[in-house]
Amino acid sequence: MFGWKLRGKSAAVDWPSLAALLDDDDRRAAIQHDAPQQHRESFTSALRSIDTSLAQQVHAAGRQLHSASALVDRPTIAVAGMLNSGKTSLVSTFLSDQGKRRALRGIGNHQGTHRFVLWLPQSWQKDPQLWQLLLQRIGDALGAAPVDLDQDPETAWAQYNNTGGSEAELQIPLIATDPGLDAAGVGLLDCPDIVSDASLGLGSPEQRRDLLGKAATLCSAFLVVTSAESSRDSHLTELLNVAADLMPGVPRVLAVNRVRPPQTPDQVHEAFARVAEMHGVDTIYAAYDFDVPKSRPFIPEDATGELTTMGDDGAAEFPVFYRVDADPDQNPPAAIDPDRWLVALPEQLDRGVLFDRFQASLQSRLQDLVCDDAMTCLEASADASRKACHDARQCLLQAVLDFFAHRDVTGEVIDLRLHQSQRIVRQLTEAFADTAPWYARWGVRLNSTVRRVFGGVRDVLRHLAPTAMAQKAADDVADKFRRGEFGGLLTPEKLQKSIQRHGGNTALSHFGDQADWNDAIETALLRFEQDDFTTLNPRRLHQAAEKMWAEVPMRRKLTSGLTPLVALFAAFAGVLMIPVDFGANFIAAASISELFAAAGLTALAALWAGDKSLRDVGHQAARQQIADFHAVLCDCFGVPRTAGGPGEATDNDMILMVRQKRLPMMKPDIIRRDSEGPALRVFHVRDEFRQDLVRQFP
């Protein structure tokens, strides 16, 4: 019945070796943290931080496998079933009279089993070392150390029924020894039913199923007690699936209790044959309801007192289970061989084969926990960390583009804006002044106010000063930027709203409270203003300025009376005057064509915007500034600058779409600084660990 064959090979998994790999946080570590600081972490530590219960299950399964060989001669059979199905009655048939009195039997809920009760041979206590190992295994399986079943029957019944207890006590197993099991040489785990109502306060069906699955890992065989009418019951299927899923390969036995005439033993076999085949049930036993007189012919008459206890009226007080056969002539009322009695089952178990199957099942469970459940958990968490990093960086990039990108009415980016720093403005001033024709310079010189703003300018411009009309034009340009008619004026309040508009509350959920946000944004603006050393390409800028002047007709004046050069100076001065109102903690961004437009040079603005070679002069610097400001925001919000993961050193997942052209993010020039607030954690599972793990399992 349980596969008589030569004993197979022992388990190939060496738990001490595997445990050393799982606990290694150095050379063979499972996890590589990429951010906020690079370091390695062990499989066990990482899993414990993600799913403590799963980490405990892995190590409990490993210890069970490791201790299994020492307990080869101490198999345990799980006895499970629905409420009042006769589980304890079946267990009692193996116990001594004293054991029978301590076991709770009955048909009411107050007589139901609501604790795991492990009955063990009394002789097993003679070896203290193995006994302690067995107790440790029980604690590993259910997550709580066992307590003794009281010797007093009434107290034991209260423990069995969890009277006055709580659902927390459901996972604390009761343990009892009995000399009646010495001859059988097996332990019997009397399991609580899995369908009791949660309103009883003794554990929900879900909790009971979970604990039953854990308890199944203790057992070398799984015996399910059910009623005759439950061949299509979903709860029966569920019970059999627990054993099949969590302990594959472990023998499964079905015991059908309280069968009543006119159903005959062969009909019982026929009714449950399909269920048995579907769920790998080795054998079907049946016991007839001894309270029904018509059942008497189907209860073997040659039962001895050792097999069944008879009452004063000659009726059996305990169910008599025997293996049913598809052939009616092989069942009672015909005589049956003693080896078909359920009480003879322990003698028929081939301990070597049973152990091999049990050990293989434990190994399979450990492999499933480590390679499927735990690795899937770690991989999913690693993927989630990289996705969280990507989402946070995308959120910050979109917020940056709200100010550094010029969009059309459809939302498409048509130009990139430059941070109009003093360095950029000085370059533009010098380039257009150096290349301006003589008629464009007429009447132009810079006064001391503009010189202080611009800093040092070439000697040819130091004697030029703007007229009062030019000063008014500069004020007008500044007002246009303040009103948002041109460019992007970036303040802490605007930046925060932009980040939140792009999902910052979710993408940056790791980052502190409102005060932390305020500090991070203000720090980012100050850092970028101070550390932005981006410049335009001098040669290309000089060529672009010459090309622009070539498009300006000789003697052309603006309606305001300003020359084009004075109008440009007014635009440059206007941009640099904005700090007078806003202070230093802001960023003004504008494309070169927007500066032309703000100065009233609409024709030149259209020319610059429509010529790719001219646009590219500013795009290279603008892309660098976008990368730098994005990097500073990432630093301040504790977000890695790169997406994380092995070998990723660039922003290849950050793409700028300008006029439907894909432009990769440039490498930032600003030095990285750690966030003073919370930081996003990004990690991946090391390929080297995966390879080492594969070698641990056959």
Side-chain angles (χ1 to χ4, degrees), residues 11 65 248 354-365:
L65 175 63
L354 193 65
F355 172 72
D356 282 342
R357 294 177 69 174
F358 177 54
Q359 189 179 49
S361 181
L362 290 175
Q363 178 173 309
S364 176
R365 172 172 167 75

Side-chain angles (χ1 to χ4, degrees), residues 54 57-58 61 364-375:
L54 183 55
Q57 289 179 50
V58 167
S364 176
R365 172 172 167 75
L366 176 61
Q367 186 167 355
D368 288 345
L369 283 170
V370 174
C371 299
D372 292 340
D373 299 348
M375 284 298 289

Side-chain angles (χ1 to χ4, degrees), residues 406 417 420 428 469-488 558-560 562-576 578 588-606 608-609:
H406 185 200
R417 290 168 171 162
Q420 296 297 331
L428 291 171
M469 192 178 296
Q471 184 67 50
K472 181 178 182 302
D475 291 338
D476 290 341
V477 169
D479 286 340
K480 291 177 182 178
F481 275 93
R482 294 184 188 107
R483 293 193 301 267
E485 296 179 20
F486 296 98
L558 296 179
T559 56
S560 62
L562 298 177
T563 66
L565 184 58
V566 174
L568 280 177
F569 286 169
F572 300 150
V575 171
L576 294 181
I578 298 175
S591 65
I592 297 175
S593 63
E594 286 180 305
L595 290 176
F596 283 130
L601 302 173
T602 54
L604 297 186
W608 189 285

Side-chain angles (χ1 to χ4, degrees), residues 16 47 94 107 122 162 174 250 275 283 309 393 526 548 649 679 688:
L47 184 60
F94 291 88
I107 59 174
Q122 196 174 64
N162 201 4
L174 299 168
V250 165
V275 174
T283 310
T309 302
R393 295 170 66 245
L526 286 172
M548 291 298 295
E688 296 84 353

Side-chain angles (χ1 to χ4, degrees), residues 414-426:
I414 57 175
D415 207 354
L416 296 179
R417 290 168 171 162
L418 284 162
H419 168 217
Q420 296 297 331
S421 63
Q422 290 192 25
R423 184 174 285 99
I424 294 292
V425 172
R426 185 184 300 117

Side-chain angles (χ1 to χ4, degrees), residues 482-546:
R482 294 184 188 107
R483 293 193 301 267
E485 296 179 20
F486 296 98
L489 195 61
L490 182 54
T491 64
E493 294 77 16
K494 288 184 178 181
L495 179 57
Q496 181 162 156
K497 290 180 180 178
S498 179
I499 293 174
Q500 291 174 339
R501 185 168 60 253
H502 291 289
N505 290 333
T506 299
L508 302 174
S509 59
H510 70 283
F511 196 82
D513 55 21
Q514 188 61 49
D516 292 328
W517 273 60
N518 294 339
D519 291 344
I521 288 174
E522 292 184 4
T523 300
L525 290 172
L526 286 172
R527 274 197 61 198
F528 182 70
E529 180 67 30
Q530 295 170 359
D531 296 349
D532 176 26
F533 298 109
T534 305
T535 58
L536 298 163
N537 184 297
R539 180 182 61 82
R540 296 186 65 189
L541 177 59
H542 192 276
Q543 292 173 347
E546 287 182 331

Side-chain angles (χ1 to χ4, degrees), residues 389-397 630 640-641 651 653-654:
C389 175
H390 173 82
D391 292 347
R393 295 170 66 245
Q394 281 287 359
C395 167
L396 294 176
L397 176 60
H630 180 252
R641 291 185 174 188
D651 277 344
D653 66 327
M654 298 285 108

Side-chain angles (χ1 to χ4, degrees), residues 26-312:
D26 190 13
R27 185 177 59 86
R28 299 192 301 163
I31 301 300
Q32 175 65 53
H33 285 269
D34 304 297
Q37 300 294 333
Q38 290 195 352
H39 69 279
R40 293 181 179 180
E41 185 178 13
S42 72
F43 172 99
T44 300
S45 174
L47 184 60
R48 188 180 294 119
S49 66
I50 299 169
D51 190 333
T52 303
S53 175
L54 183 55
Q56 292 172 345
Q57 289 179 50
V58 167
H59 278 262
R63 291 192 296 269
Q64 287 177 20
L65 175 63
H66 185 57
S67 62
S69 58
L71 300 172
V72 59
D73 293 324
R74 288 163 172 75
T76 299
I77 300 174
V79 182
M82 265 63 77
L83 180 66
N84 301 129
S85 59
K87 303 182 300 295
T88 305
S89 293
L90 185 150
V91 170
S92 295
T93 61
F94 291 88
L95 303 180
S96 67
D97 291 341
Q98 173 62 20
K100 287 180 171 67
R101 285 191 290 270
R102 294 166 68 195
L104 179 62
R105 298 172 60 224
I107 59 174
N109 183 66
H110 63 284
Q111 295 168 317
T113 299
H114 297 299
R115 296 279 291 272
F116 286 91
V117 185
L118 183 59
W119 288 91
L120 301 175
Q122 196 174 64
S123 59
W124 287 7
Q125 286 185 301
K126 293 180 179 179
D127 189 327
Q129 185 175 357
L130 289 180
W131 179 254
Q132 289 303 317
L133 183 60
L134 181 59
L135 296 183
Q136 180 183 337
R137 274 190 58 201
I138 298 168
D140 285 343
L142 287 170
V147 299
D148 291 334
L149 181 69
D150 201 276
Q151 294 292 331
D152 176 66
E154 291 190 5
T155 305
W157 297 343
Q159 289 176 291
Y160 243 99
N161 191 243
N162 201 4
T163 303
S166 66
E167 63 180 57
E169 294 189 23
L170 183 65
Q171 71 175 33
I172 303 176
L174 299 168
I175 189 167
T177 60
D178 188 82
L181 289 170
D182 289 346
V186 297
L188 297 175
L189 180 63
D190 194 352
C191 305
D193 71 276
I194 64 167
V195 296
S196 284
D197 196 308
S199 64
L200 295 175
L202 301 176
S204 65
E206 292 75 17
Q207 183 184 14
R208 288 167 176 255
R209 280 190 291 270
D210 178 63
L211 288 172
L212 179 59
K214 294 178 180 179
T217 62
L218 284 170
C219 304
S220 303
F222 204 86
L223 195 157
V224 176
V225 185
T226 188
S227 61
E229 61 274 7
S230 65
S231 60
R232 301 180 184 275
D233 195 311
S234 61
H235 294 304
L236 174 60
T237 300
E238 198 169 5
L239 273 172
L240 293 171
N241 283 335
V242 168
D245 293 343
L246 297 177
M247 295 297 287
V250 165
R252 290 179 280 285
V253 178
L254 189 61
V256 184
N257 194 21
R258 298 197 186 97
V259 182
R260 293 187 176 188
Q263 190 174 21
T264 59
D266 58 290
Q267 290 174 333
V268 173
H269 186 280
E270 180 182 3
F272 287 90
R274 180 171 177 80
V275 174
E277 182 180 358
M278 289 177 59
H279 298 281
V281 172
D282 292 280
T283 310
I284 302 173
Y285 287 89
Y288 276 75
D289 189 342
F290 48 74
D291 287 331
V292 177
K294 290 184 179 180
S295 296
R296 192 61 195 166
F298 301 105
I299 299 176
E301 295 181 355
D302 58 345
T304 66
E306 190 174 341
L307 297 175
T308 181
T309 302
M310 309 301 291
D312 295 338

